[in-house]
Amino acid sequence: GNSVTQMEGPVTLSEEAFLTINCTYTATGYPSLFWYVQYPGEGLQLLLKATKADDKGSNKGFEATYRKETTSFHLEKGSVQVSDSAVYFCALTTYSSASKIIFGSGTRLSIRP
Amino acid sequence: EAQVTQNPRYLITVTGKKLTVTCSQNMNHEYMSWYRQDPGLGLRQIYYSMNVEVTDKGDVPEGYKVSRKEKRNFPLILESPSPNQTSLYFCASSRGRGTEAFFGQGTRLTVV
């Protein structure tokens, strides 16, 4: 079946540090890949997405590239800010799975000033 | 503003007292889903709907009901809540198969 494995947290970084959160997936067919972010007390917001191999999703300084050969979709940001502190979820969906989204376990990120 | 709206945001109830969590979306999306989020278990799909009057079970449907009488609304019904249904619930909608989902703000339910 389809699954998502992401880096366990929590991750604590200093402001302006480089961020990588690893995500790999298993899927039949050609999944669409997402990163969602959950700020404290809020719902999940779509951060970025990629729908086919080699696509790069980007938003708010975050980037992730759909790598079919390594089945990965790692999240990166060059210089994190305190406001980036949140829980990040890697996720996928496929055409055959209707509306179901498969989520990774989430990675809690804390940024120190 | 495009959004998914859930109500209530917080709810404390007693075992066995029927409750409904409402969900409404204003994006004319075909698909709607309910998820629950639990520590250590992540997000799991409860039910989903592909259109009006079309609903199906997700991964953890036991103890829940849904209905889709109108395209914009997808209420979650707990006929006889139990403490193991204490959780954070999210409603989501999406345009179609294989597309991203938009989530509501969540409903934190406590059953005592």
Side-chain angles (χ1 to χ4, degrees), chain B residues 25 28-33 48-55 66-75 93-94:
Chain B
Q25 51 95 5
N28 200 36
H29 283 168
E30 300 285 337
Y31 289 78
M32 298 186 74
S33 296
Y48 65 97
S49 168
M50 291 186 282
N51 212 327
V52 174
E53 303 292 3
V54 180
T55 64
V66 293
S67 68
R68 188 95 181 270
K69 293 184 169 50
E70 305 166 283
K71 196 172 187 180
R72 63 183 292 126
N73 296 324
F74 190 46
S93 72
S94 55

Side-chain angles (χ1 to χ4, degrees), chain A residues 8 38 87 89 103-108, chain B residues 36-44 87-88:
Chain A
E8 297 239 347
Q38 185 176 28
V87 181
F89 293 90
F103 288 91
S105 55
T107 302
R108 183 175 299 278
Chain B
R36 60 179 289 175
Q37 184 179 24
D38 301 291
L41 296 174
L43 284 117
R44 295 175 292 169
S87 186
L88 180 58

Side-chain angles (χ1 to χ4, degrees), chain A residues 19-54:
Chain A
L19 168 71
T20 301
I21 301 178
N22 290 336
C23 172
T24 58
Y25 67 89
T26 302
T28 53
Y30 301 95
S32 295
L33 303 175
F34 312 103
W35 278 99
Y36 282 87
V37 57
Q38 185 176 28
Y39 297 103
E42 297 187 15
L44 283 83
Q45 302 175 25
L46 179 67
L47 180 60
L48 54 84
K49 67 178 181 180
T51 58
K52 60 183 190 297
D54 299 325

Side-chain angles (χ1 to χ4, degrees), chain B residues 48-101:
Chain B
Y48 65 97
S49 168
M50 291 186 282
N51 212 327
V52 174
E53 303 292 3
V54 180
T55 64
D56 208 346
K57 296 177 181 179
D59 297 319
V60 287
E62 295 78 21
Y64 304 95
K65 283 176 55 177
V66 293
S67 68
R68 188 95 181 270
K69 293 184 169 50
E70 305 166 283
K71 196 172 187 180
R72 63 183 292 126
N73 296 324
F74 190 46
L76 179 69
I77 302 155
L78 284 73
E79 295 268 359
S80 183
S82 61
N84 66 10
Q85 292 178 300
T86 292
S87 186
L88 180 58
Y89 291 87
F90 289 103
C91 180
S93 72
S94 55
R95 191 174 66 250
R97 290 176 175 269
T99 63
E100 69 270 27

